[in-house]
Amino acid sequence: MWRSLWPTIDRFSLHHFRYIVNQLREIRVVDKRNREVVLDLLQSIVEIVTYGDRHDPAIFECFMEFQVLAEFVRILKIGGNSGIEAPLLQYLSIMIQNVENEHAIYYCFSNGYINSVISHHYEFDGGDLIPYYVSFLRTVSGKIGRDTICLLVKVHQDTAISLPLYDEALKFANHGEKMIQIAVRALTLNIYNVADEMVYQFLTTPTASAYFSSLILNLKNKCLHVDAIINGVKESFHEKKRDLLSETDRILDDFYYLKDILCIPEQRLNKLVTENIVNMLILPMLLTLLNNRLSNDTGLSAITCLYVLCRLLQVFDGTNLVNVIGSAVLFSFMPPNVTDAAESVVSARLEQVNGLAVCYQEGEEMVDLQHEGAENFMMNYVLKHSLEFTELSSCFDSSPLENSENEWGGIFSCIFSRNHSLMLGSLMLLFTVADSKDLHYQLAAKIGFSQVKTASEMIGSTVAGHIQKIVNQLLKVLASEPPLSVPILLHAAWFLRKLLVFLDQKLEDNDCHLFKTSYEVSCGHLYEEFDRCWFDHIPDVLKSEWANCKTALEESSQSKDPFFLLELASIQNPPSATWLNRGKDILRIFHWQASVQR
């Protein structure tokens, strides 16, 4: 009865908010004895401010009057070893995340309070402070806009010299925890999307732009790790495949992150990222292939280069990177006897690819890329010079192919290599370039792999004139004795079918003989399965796998996962297949041969 006479306290009232703030201002030291009291006060303040943002503007007026954010900074500084940092950051994140009033957000980012929290000296050794800190940074980045990001920039003489939110976040860009990496990348994308002129000038300074070089360098290190996994001798095939899948997933994540950056409509940022990708990743890998080396100076193998370039083309489809790689691939079709006899083949290849990069840079310098039509002008400028060189191919496009495989350089030497992984990888790169919907029409005509072809495209195509030799090479793989591994046969069949579909080619007599040989061998293998224990399951497998075979054979190169290249390269002692998988593989090859024969 007496309790009903006691006045109730409205915990979301302005009066109670003033009381809580005054209690917090009386705190002079934070230790383990009063830690929980301080946390209760901070939590109450955050709850009341969040409520007031939606229902009572007077509460936030009081929040500004008492400079409560300054009290948060003060508590952070006197926290000592009390462990107050993590929950304080969490409460701040909750408050900033839930405040929706633009005036309130603008105030929170003013007066340097947020920068003080960001720049505070934290002890990150051990514990769980890093996730709370990075989460706080990401929350702040999600609330900034073009009108508020300037409040977080440190300026000297009208020049941005620091952006603590960005600088501190990048310290965790390579953290081992996946979720922290994701948060940092989300933060950077938020900043790139709302940055103003001053911030972009800061981002493109040598100090800040070093992040992009570091990103590509870490990407190259992941590629080297892929090589190390492939060449490992202690791991079993299944362990290698598991590790390769994990590492290639990380590479793919980097590619999609870079693509997200390139999708931001800011020319200076796009140019900076593109230059790093081309100069630090694409050109070194292309030089490995164009110079006919199994590895480059950094130890990266040709197989890994082919995989990375194929994946890059699949992810970055729609950018100028497709045409840069396409131009360089065309350079690689020059046989050594076309180059000046006074120069070595290797130096000629270096000059060709470096010349492409110079042309690309010159095209950017000649025009203002922000003007309408400037991008097409730049691409035409690059192609003009690259296609001038490829016109030299006319001296051998119409001549009989009497050269031995050792006389071909560049990707052709890979296509005609005895290394089947290298052969399939080079074809995969060629098809991925040709299938790109954004490949420049002049480059597409030079390759000659378009679905709809005109007479002029066929005459001018560089690759189509040599298609019979490539077809013959693939048929030799299918008809080899003793038979090669089933995965090699499957992928060789896919490439052969694509070639025949693209170019409407009829098999020559010698090629027909090779095809019939491979067909008879596959029929023999299928008949052998009739005597095995799974004979009763063959009808069911035929019904289910026949449609799957058709789907796999019709898959485009843009959707075909080039991971099979790494699998083939890593197979030393392939695991014995189960009777069912063995039967399915045989049916896949048999299906392809039967469809072609029809």
Side-chain angles (χ1 to χ4, degrees):
M1 182 181 69
W2 297 106
R3 182 170 299 180
S4 63
L5 300 176
W6 194 266
T8 59
I9 299 176
D10 183 1
R11 58 189 298 263
F12 292 107
S13 67
L14 179 61
H15 176 75
H16 184 64
F17 181 67
R18 291 178 182 271
Y19 171 78
I20 294 296
V21 172
N22 286 326
Q23 289 290 312
L24 184 66
R25 298 175 76 174
E26 292 177 1
I27 301 295
R28 292 291 175 264
V29 63
V30 179
D31 53 29
K32 294 182 179 179
R33 289 175 295 180
N34 67 345
R35 178 179 181 274
E36 295 302 322
V37 174
V38 174
L39 290 179
D40 288 341
L41 293 173
L42 294 176
Q43 181 178 356
S44 297
I45 289 174
V46 170
E47 290 174 349
I48 296 173
V49 170
T50 303
Y51 170 85
D53 180 67
R54 292 173 173 79
H55 303 96
D56 190 355
I59 289 179
F60 202 84
E61 293 293 334
C62 181
F63 178 85
M64 293 188 291
E65 177 186 351
F66 282 85
Q67 296 187 348
V68 178
L69 274 180
E71 293 300 315
F72 274 74
V73 175
R74 185 179 66 85
I75 294 297
L76 188 62
K77 292 180 178 179
I78 66 175
N81 298 322
S82 63
I84 198 79
E85 294 94 340
L88 185 145
L89 290 171
Q90 183 181 27
Y91 292 145
L92 272 179
S93 298
I94 293 172
M95 185 181 70
I96 294 173
Q97 180 68 41
N98 289 281
V99 169
E100 296 179 354
N101 184 279
E102 292 184 3
H103 178 63
I105 294 173
Y106 192 91
Y107 171 79
C108 288
F109 291 162
S110 302
N111 302 315
Y113 297 136
I114 295 298
N115 272 347
S116 297
V117 175
I118 293 173
S119 303
H120 178 74
H121 179 70
Y122 298 93
E123 296 293 339
F124 290 116
D125 297 336
D128 57 354
L129 182 57
I130 293 179
Y132 287 103
Y133 181 69
V134 173
S135 177
F136 168 72
L137 297 181
R138 181 177 181 178
T139 300
V140 172
S141 73
K143 285 294 184 176
I144 58 176
R146 291 189 179 274
D147 296 330
T148 54
I149 190 172
C150 59
L151 301 174
L152 301 179
V153 179
K154 293 185 177 181
V155 181
H156 178 68
Q157 296 181 351
D158 297 330
T159 302
I161 60 174
S162 175
L163 180 56
L165 176 65
Y166 185 73
D167 297 337
E168 296 299 323
L170 292 188
K171 294 178 180 179
F172 304 96
N174 299 317
H175 194 273
E177 183 65 36
K178 182 69 174 178
M179 294 306 297
I180 292 178
Q181 290 184 25
I182 293 174
V184 171
R185 292 186 174 186
L187 178 150
T188 59
L189 291 174
N190 289 338
I191 292 176
Y192 300 151
N193 275 294
V194 300
D196 57 12
E197 179 69 21
M198 181 180 294
V199 173
Y200 270 122
Q201 288 181 0
F202 166 73
L203 292 175
T204 53
T205 59
T207 302
S209 62
Y211 167 63
F212 302 109
S213 301
S214 174
L215 186 65
I216 303 300
L217 184 60
N218 288 329
L219 181 56
K220 290 177 66 176
N221 289 334
K222 292 171 186 175
C223 295
L224 288 171
H225 190 208
V226 168
D227 265 351
I229 296 173
I230 291 175
N231 298 322
V233 294
K234 295 182 179 180
E235 292 181 313
S236 66
F237 173 78
H238 294 294
E239 290 174 335
K240 280 188 177 183
K241 184 175 181 179
R242 179 199 62 206
D243 294 341
L244 284 173
L245 285 171
S246 175
E247 199 64 29
T248 52
D249 283 345
R250 294 173 61 195
I251 293 174
L252 204 55
D253 288 342
D254 288 349
F255 280 169
Y256 280 112
Y257 173 55
L258 290 169
K259 180 182 180 181
D260 289 339
I261 297 177
L262 291 176
C263 288
I264 296 172
E266 171 51 47
Q267 190 59 45
R268 286 166 295 183
L269 184 64
N270 288 346
K271 179 181 178 181
L272 182 62
V273 174
T274 300
E275 285 178 351
N276 278 280
I277 294 175
V278 171
N279 295 330
M280 297 182 63
L281 188 68
I282 293 179
L283 289 183
M285 289 186 174
L286 286 172
L287 287 175
T288 299
L289 303 175
L290 301 184
N291 293 335
N292 192 19
R293 293 184 292 180
L294 292 179
S295 64
N296 58 26
D297 296 335
T298 61
L300 201 59
S301 70
I303 289 295
T304 303
C305 290
L306 289 166
Y307 168 80
V308 172
L309 290 173
C310 290
R311 264 306 189 195
L312 187 145
L313 286 170
Q314 291 174 340
V315 172
F316 289 90
D317 193 36
T319 70
N320 281 332
L321 296 178
V322 174
N323 293 306
V324 170
I325 296 177
S327 300
V329 167
L330 278 179
F331 285 152
S332 70
F333 292 137
M334 297 297 101
N337 56 10
V338 174
T339 60
D340 189 349
E343 297 180 350
S344 67
V345 176
V346 173
S347 62
R349 298 287 184 261
L350 286 169
E351 183 179 352
Q352 293 157 14
V353 178
N354 290 334
L356 174 64
V358 171
C359 288
Y360 191 86
Q361 187 173 7
E362 288 177 353
E364 288 184 327
E365 294 173 352
M366 290 176 64
V367 295
D368 183 356
L369 293 179
Q370 293 181 343
H371 290 171
E372 184 178 357
E375 183 176 346
N376 290 335
F377 174 84
M378 185 193 68
M379 201 63 237
N380 288 331
Y381 178 80
V382 176
L383 290 169
K384 175 185 175 182
H385 291 276
S386 63
L387 292 173
E388 281 177 0
F389 179 81
T390 57
E391 288 301 325
L392 293 175
S393 63
S394 61
C395 66
F396 63 88
D397 275 346
S398 58
S399 61
L401 288 174
E402 298 176 353
N403 298 356
S404 67
E405 62 187 55
N406 294 328
E407 292 180 351
W408 288 98
I411 287 187
F412 260 148
S413 66
C414 299
I415 292 176
F416 301 130
S417 170
R418 291 186 177 89
N419 184 326
H420 298 109
S421 299
L422 204 57
M423 176 194 70
L424 297 177
S426 58
L427 286 174
M428 183 68 192
L429 176 60
L430 190 60
F431 273 89
T432 306
V433 170
D435 272 357
S436 173
K437 67 179 184 300
D438 293 291
L439 183 67
H440 194 278
Y441 73 94
Q442 289 179 287
L443 291 177
K446 280 293 174 182
I447 296 177
F449 278 7
S450 57
Q451 288 281 11
V452 180
K453 299 173 288 297
T454 64
S456 59
E457 285 179 335
M458 287 301 299
I459 293 173
S461 65
T462 302
V463 183
H466 313 308
I467 197 64
Q468 283 301 144
K469 189 173 180 66
I470 301 176
V471 168
N472 182 264
Q473 182 78 0
L474 290 170
L475 284 171
K476 286 180 180 178
V477 171
L478 291 172
S480 61
E481 287 292 343
L484 299 173
S485 66
V486 170
I488 291 178
L489 299 178
L490 286 173
H491 295 296
W494 183 87
F495 284 112
L496 184 54
R497 181 184 181 277
K498 293 285 283 185
L499 287 174
L500 298 178
V501 170
F502 274 145
L503 300 175
D504 263 346
Q505 289 284 336
K506 299 292 185 180
L507 294 178
E508 296 181 352
D509 292 341
N510 183 44
D511 294 336
C512 283
H513 174 72
L514 289 173
F515 174 79
K516 290 179 180 178
T517 301
S518 65
Y519 180 75
E520 291 170 358
V521 170
S522 294
C523 288
H525 289 162
L526 184 59
Y527 294 150
E528 289 176 3
E529 300 302 317
F530 292 162
D531 297 328
R532 297 183 184 274
C533 61
W534 72 293
F535 174 78
D536 293 339
H537 296 275
I538 288 181
D540 295 332
V541 173
L542 279 171
K543 291 179 182 178
S544 63
E545 286 303 310
W546 204 258
N548 293 338
C549 293
K550 187 175 185 295
T551 301
L553 285 173
E554 293 175 352
E555 185 179 26
S556 70
S557 57
Q558 287 295 320
S559 58
K560 185 178 178 65
D561 191 347
F563 182 78
F564 74 90
L565 300 174
L566 305 180
E567 283 187 293
L568 295 179
S570 63
I571 293 178
Q572 294 176 350
N573 296 306
S576 57
T578 63
W579 55 267
L580 184 57
N581 288 333
R582 169 185 165 85
K584 289 181 178 180
D585 290 338
I586 292 173
L587 283 175
R588 290 191 185 106
I589 300 174
F590 181 77
H591 173 276
W592 170 80
Q593 292 168 325
S595 63
V596 172
Q597 192 174 55
R598 289 198 301 269

